[in-house]
């Protein structure tokens, strides 16, 4: 009983997670109604833009498959170019979603319930965008199955010692686990929408996908354990995925890549950019759909603090990289780092420093954390900065490596730019479909954090009788 | 209205998580086994109130983690030393350190698949057809309703007695579930 009392006391001293303390019914109504109303004009306009960009993506991919990766700006020292930059950047975007849904769940951070659903959706779609780039960069896309350990007539197996193969396993596992986690979270909410559905088609489709969920405690107990296990599995997974991505670089011998700080540095950067994307998307969503009671100023405030912390971690990594380059006494290593700050790509380096180190310093100030325009602009700048971080790592090391005779200046072509721009079309098309047809806030979870969801929550008049029943 | 046909069970509605939990204690103490408490979100302490054991899912997932990690490790060992030995970068065939990331990945993948499909299996899902769905009121169970359902396959099930019990426990509405 004492733990229950502590729980109640803690809940009482905490500021409310959901403003206005809606009833359970009001939560279902507010969130489900978004998907049941007539589609708004704003959605159609946004979807039109996203779909045109997706069209661009399809054309770019088609031409790439037809012509080969020679249409990109890749050249002799720079064999990967924008494809790997975009891959690492998109995977990084995805990380905040898993962090919110898994790590914050294990840490009992109840504020996560308002943002986890669309953060997870963001993860899925970002990982889809990310997976496109390594699949396309192999050039002969139709042979991509060589990367899977499939028995074949050549008796050939993939090279298990290659970090690129680790990537195949890490990222495809990450995608599958994120999809399962997301779907499991959706089942009770799909049941809510099924029970509200009026048209036959909606009833049928939602009925199939909610699997006949009855919300019985015999189901909830397995469900909750499954959710906990998935969170426990996703937590090391999310940390390992970007560590594996970083080993693509650090297992090589390139100056500027060959450092042990890469795995934690990449993970911190991924969470940094991922949170920036969650903030960007949630500011838009709460504005358009009037969800300011659900995604409150407090949620944005906490996310800014996370960005401040991870931004400082990234700043620390930049500093230590420089220090190690100097302290190692390795001339090539020293050169690469000095060249990053002063060489032909100094513009990229200083863009990165400004966006990733200077911009998040604004979050020390409560007034700036609570200003929506400041947050919105800062979150976009952070994503730009994180893209430039990967650009600086890939391009400065590759274009000027050990042998000055092979140095070159790398420039993207219109196909590089078109493919990257088009990947936003893929991302936003999927995201807009998601917010149109599925509940963007986890209703069952939000109901669970309302004060009246606690069976020991009673009005003042009932207090004594309640204690007597099963105390 | 709960349809026509034979009696499949009984459904009682309660007005909140606290009332549902008290009802769960009451139904359990009355000796019922085939009953369930439906709520729009999981209620903590309900497992104890209904007298249920912990879900066995953890064991299944633990087992599949071992199978996944072990299987992937064995596959990598077999493929790179027996089926397709190939010197790469002068590394030994059995470079077990390099097998760790993939073994971990496959272990997580298999465990996650087991967690989800194991949960569906333990919950007997998908099951689109169930006696509780004969009740129109039951639609609220996924919105803001709190229900206790007792199935008719309970030994010595007596609808009148069950109804009396649910009413005594404070049900705001009781109905019989009838169907095919």
């Amino acid at each position: 009983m004492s733990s229950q009392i502590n729980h109640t006391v803690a809940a009482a001293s905490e500021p409310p997670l959901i403003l206005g303390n809606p009833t359970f019914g009001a939560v279902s109504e507010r969130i489900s109604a978004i998907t049941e109303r007539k589609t708004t004009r704003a959605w159609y306009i946004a979807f039109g833009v996203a779909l045109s960009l997706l069209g661009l993506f399809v054309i770019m991919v088609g031409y790439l498959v037809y012509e080969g990766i020679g249409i990109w700006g890749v050249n002799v020292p720079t064999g990967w170019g924008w494809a790997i930059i975009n891959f690492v950047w998109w995977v990084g975007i995805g990380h905040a979603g898993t962090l919110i849904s898994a790590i914050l769940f294990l840490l009992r951070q109840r504020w996560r319930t308002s943002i986890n659903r669309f953060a997870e959706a963001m993860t899925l779609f970002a990982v889809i965008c990310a997976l496109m780039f390594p699949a396309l960069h192999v050039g002969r896309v139709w042979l991509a199955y060589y990367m899977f350990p499939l028995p074949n007539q050549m008796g050939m197996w993939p090279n298990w010692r290659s970090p690129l193969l680790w990537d195949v396993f890490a990222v495809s596992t990450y995608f599958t686990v994120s999809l399962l986690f997301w779907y499991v979270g959706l089942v009770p909410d799909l049941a809510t929408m099924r029970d509200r559905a009026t048209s036959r088609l909606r009833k049928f489709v939602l009925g199939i996908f909610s699997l006949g969920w009855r919300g019985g405690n015999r189901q909830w107990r397995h469900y909750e354990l499954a959710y906990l296990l998935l969170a426990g599995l996703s937590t090391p997974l999310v940390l390992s995925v970007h560590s594996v991505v970083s080993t693509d670089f650090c297992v090589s011998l390139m100056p500027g890549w060959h450092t042990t700080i890469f795995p934690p540095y990449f993970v911190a950067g991924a969470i940094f950019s991922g949170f920036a994307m969650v903030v960007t998307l949630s500011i838009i969503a709460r504005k358009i759909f009037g969800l300011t009671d659900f995604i409150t100023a407090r949620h944005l405030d906490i996310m800014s603090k996370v960005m401040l912390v991870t931004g400082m971690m990234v700043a620390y990594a930049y500093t230590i990289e420089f220090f190690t380059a100097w302290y190692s006494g390795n001339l090539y290593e020293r050169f690469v780092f000095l060249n990053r700050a002063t060489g032909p790509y100094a513009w990229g380096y200083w863009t990165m420093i400004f966006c990733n180190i200077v911009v998040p310093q604004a979050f020390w100030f409560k007034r700036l954390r609570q200003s929506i325009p400041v947050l919105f602009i800062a979150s976009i700048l952070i994503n730009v900065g994180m893209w430039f971080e990967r650009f600086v790592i890939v391009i400065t090391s590759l274009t000027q490596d050990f042998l000055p005779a092979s140095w070159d200046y790398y420039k993207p072509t219109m196909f590089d730019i078109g493919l990257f721009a088009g990947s936003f079309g893929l991302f936003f098309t999927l995201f807009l479909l998601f917010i149109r047809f599925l509940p963007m806030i986890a209703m069952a979870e939000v109901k669970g954090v309302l004060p009246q969801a606690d069976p020991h929550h009673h009005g003042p008049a009932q207090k004594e009788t309640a204690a007597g029943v099963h105390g | 209205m709960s349809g026509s046909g034979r009696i499949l069970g009984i459904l009682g509605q309660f007005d909140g998580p606290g009332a549902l939990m008290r009802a769960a204690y009451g139904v359990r103490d009355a000796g019922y086994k085939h009953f369930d408490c439906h709520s729009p979100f999981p209620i903590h302490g309900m497992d104890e109130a209904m007298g249920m054991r912990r879900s066995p899912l953890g064991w299944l997932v633990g087992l599949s983690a071992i199978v996944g990690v072990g299987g992937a490790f064995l596959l990598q060992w077999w493929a790179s030393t027996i089926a397709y030995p190939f010197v790469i970068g002068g590394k030994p065939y059995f470079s077990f350190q390099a097998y760790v990331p993939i073994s971990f990945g496959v272990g997580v993948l298999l465990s996650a698949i087991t967690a989800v499909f194991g949960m569906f299996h333990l919950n007997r899902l998908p099951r689109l057809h169930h006696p509780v769905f004969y009740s129109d009121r039951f639609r609220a169970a996924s919105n803001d309703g709190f229900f206790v359902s007792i199935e008719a396959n309970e030994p010595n099930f007596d609808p009148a007695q069950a109804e009396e019990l649910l009413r005594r426990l404070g049900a705001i509405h009781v109905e019989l579930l009838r169907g095919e």
Side-chain angles (χ1 to χ4, degrees):
Chain A
M1 197 65 193
S2 69
S3 67
Q4 286 153 1
I5 289 165
N6 287 340
H7 176 70
T8 316
V9 170
S13 59
E14 201 183 6
L17 294 158
I18 309 298
L19 296 181
N21 195 20
T23 59
F24 299 130
V27 173
S28 314
E29 174 62 33
R30 281 287 296 284
I31 316 277
S32 314
I34 295 168
T35 66
E36 290 159 356
R37 282 199 293 258
K38 217 170 151 289
T39 315
T40 57
R41 183 192 289 268
W43 187 88
Y44 276 117
I45 294 170
F47 193 66
V49 174
L51 216 54
S52 334
L53 273 173
L54 179 62
L56 177 71
F57 185 75
V58 171
I59 293 168
M60 290 291 142
V61 170
Y63 189 59
L64 181 78
V65 171
Y66 172 75
E67 189 66 38
I69 56 167
I71 62 167
W72 286 348
V74 288
N75 51 35
V76 170
T78 315
W80 252 92
W82 273 37
I84 196 165
I85 300 169
N86 299 340
F87 164 64
V88 180
W89 187 76
W90 274 119
V91 176
I93 296 291
H95 276 47
T98 324
L99 183 96
I100 291 169
S101 54
I103 301 184
L104 297 185
F105 177 77
L106 295 181
L107 296 176
R108 301 283 184 274
Q109 294 294 308
R110 301 186 324 150
W111 58 271
R112 72 184 258 293
T113 53
S114 296
I115 50 173
N116 72 326
R117 172 67 45 72
F118 70 80
E120 286 168 34
M122 179 195 82
T123 295
L124 282 179
F125 307 146
V127 174
I128 291 173
C129 292
L131 281 168
M132 293 289 162
F133 290 97
L136 292 171
H137 108 287
V138 300
R140 299 176 191 179
V141 183
W142 52 95
L143 296 179
Y145 69 90
Y146 276 15
M147 287 181 286
F148 296 100
L150 301 168
N152 55 54
Q153 81 283 11
M154 293 177 278
M156 194 179 68
W157 289 89
N159 173 18
W160 307 101
R161 285 161 276 186
S162 162
L164 290 174
L165 189 70
W166 305 350
D167 256 0
V168 172
F169 278 83
V171 181
S172 53
T173 297
Y174 185 45
F175 177 75
T176 316
V177 174
S178 304
L179 182 67
L180 289 171
F181 203 9
W182 185 65
Y183 180 61
V184 165
L186 266 173
V187 167
D189 286 359
L190 290 174
T192 305
M193 285 169 59
R194 166 199 71 197
D195 293 340
R196 290 169 58 91
T198 44
S199 78
R200 273 185 77 85
L201 180 71
R202 270 183 83 84
K203 266 186 193 156
F204 179 76
V205 174
L206 291 166
I208 296 287
F209 283 101
S210 60
L211 308 171
W213 181 258
R214 301 187 295 279
N217 193 55
R218 285 176 200 281
Q219 293 181 330
W220 279 122
R221 80 182 161 133
H222 296 304
Y223 177 91
E224 282 206 287
L225 187 61
Y227 202 84
L228 179 71
L229 288 166
L230 282 174
L233 289 165
S234 306
T235 297
L237 182 65
V238 68
L239 301 180
S240 80
V241 169
H242 229 65
S243 301
V244 166
V245 169
S246 81
T247 57
D248 294 348
F249 298 94
C250 69
V251 167
S252 80
L253 294 173
M254 293 301 289
W257 288 5
H258 192 54
T259 50
T260 49
I261 200 173
F262 260 40
Y265 158 38
F266 269 52
V267 172
I271 292 165
F272 185 47
S273 63
F275 265 88
M277 190 62 107
V278 178
V279 167
T280 312
L281 294 176
S282 59
I283 286 174
I284 299 171
R286 76 201 281 270
K287 180 89 188 141
I288 294 178
F289 300 105
L291 293 170
T292 46
D293 295 351
F294 287 83
I295 306 167
T296 63
R298 190 172 156 226
H299 289 109
L300 296 174
D301 189 64
I302 298 171
M303 288 195 280
S304 321
K305 287 177 185 165
V306 174
M307 283 194 282
L308 179 59
V309 171
T310 47
M312 298 297 272
M313 288 183 194
V314 171
Y316 169 80
Y318 296 163
T319 316
I320 286 296
E321 273 193 312
F322 252 91
F323 171 76
T324 313
W326 167 75
Y327 192 66
S328 69
N330 181 322
L331 286 178
Y332 300 100
E333 192 80 10
R334 278 189 193 175
F335 168 76
V336 159
F337 279 92
L338 276 180
N339 195 41
R340 278 186 187 175
T342 59
Y345 295 102
W347 54 273
Y349 183 79
W350 294 106
T351 308
M352 166 188 102
I353 296 288
F354 172 75
C355 295
N356 293 352
I357 301 184
V358 180
V359 169
Q361 302 311 318
F363 300 143
W364 287 105
F365 306 102
K366 193 170 179 144
R367 264 194 47 214
L368 295 178
R369 283 202 305 270
Q370 293 188 331
S371 154
I372 300 293
V374 168
L375 264 177
F376 191 68
I377 293 167
S379 64
I380 289 173
L381 283 177
I382 289 170
N383 268 320
V384 172
M386 284 307 295
W387 190 87
F388 272 97
E389 180 194 300
R390 280 71 181 239
F391 176 82
V392 166
I393 292 172
V394 171
I395 302 302
T396 59
S397 283
L398 282 177
T399 49
Q400 281 152 323
D401 61 352
F402 300 102
L403 197 64
S406 69
W407 289 4
D408 199 357
Y409 190 82
Y410 169 83
K411 275 201 296 278
T413 63
M414 58 174 279
F415 298 102
D416 283 299
I417 299 167
L419 202 64
F420 182 50
S423 66
F424 282 94
L426 179 62
F427 180 78
F428 281 107
T429 302
L430 292 168
F431 201 81
L432 284 163
L433 287 172
F434 157 71
I435 57 177
R436 183 71 200 91
F437 292 108
L438 291 169
M440 73 174 101
I441 289 181
M443 292 183 275
E445 287 194 43
V446 166
K447 288 173 196 172
V449 299
L450 293 174
Q452 65 268 30
D454 186 343
H456 304 283
H457 171 92
H458 302 288
Q462 288 172 286
K463 221 158 208 156
E464 272 124 72
T465 50
V469 174
H470 51 78
Chain B
M1 202 24 229
S2 12
S4 53
R6 69 192 175 85
I7 294 172
L8 296 171
I10 189 162
L11 190 70
Q13 187 176 5
F14 292 83
D15 76 354
L20 188 68
M21 188 116 124
R22 286 194 293 277
Y25 276 105
V27 176
R28 182 187 87 176
D29 292 345
Y32 286 95
K33 294 272 179 279
H34 299 267
F35 75 104
D36 205 348
C37 296
H38 307 265
S39 53
F41 49 86
I43 298 171
H44 292 273
M46 191 57 102
D47 292 357
E48 193 209 321
M50 289 174 65
M52 291 189 314
R53 279 189 312 244
R54 206 181 146 77
S55 167
L57 196 58
W59 292 103
L60 290 175
V61 172
L63 193 70
S64 50
I66 294 167
V67 170
V69 171
F73 197 89
L74 280 175
L75 174 69
Q76 293 177 80
W77 160 76
W78 175 78
S80 49
T81 60
I82 294 171
Y84 194 63
F86 213 83
V87 178
I88 292 158
K91 296 184 195 100
Y93 295 138
F94 182 60
S95 324
F96 65 91
Q97 300 90 338
Y99 303 160
V100 170
I102 290 178
S103 304
F104 170 79
V106 175
V108 168
L109 183 63
L110 201 65
S111 310
I113 290 172
T114 310
V116 174
F117 292 96
M119 183 268 281
F120 287 156
H121 173 76
L122 290 169
N123 281 339
R124 305 285 181 269
L125 289 178
R127 179 176 175 185
L128 304 182
H129 180 78
H130 190 272
V132 288
F133 291 130
Y134 284 113
S135 161
D136 289 336
R137 267 180 175 259
F138 188 73
R139 246 185 273 171
S142 63
N143 178 22
D144 60 354
F146 298 86
F147 295 88
V148 171
S149 67
I150 302 174
E151 288 177 28
N153 57 4
E154 187 75 51
N156 310 324
F157 179 77
D158 175 30
Q161 218 172 26
E163 181 171 348
E164 205 272 323
L165 174 72
L166 290 174
R167 286 204 192 281
R168 191 157 47 76
L169 291 168
I172 51 177
H173 178 87
V174 178
E175 68 181 297
L176 289 173
L177 297 167
R178 286 168 185 278
E180 300 309 309

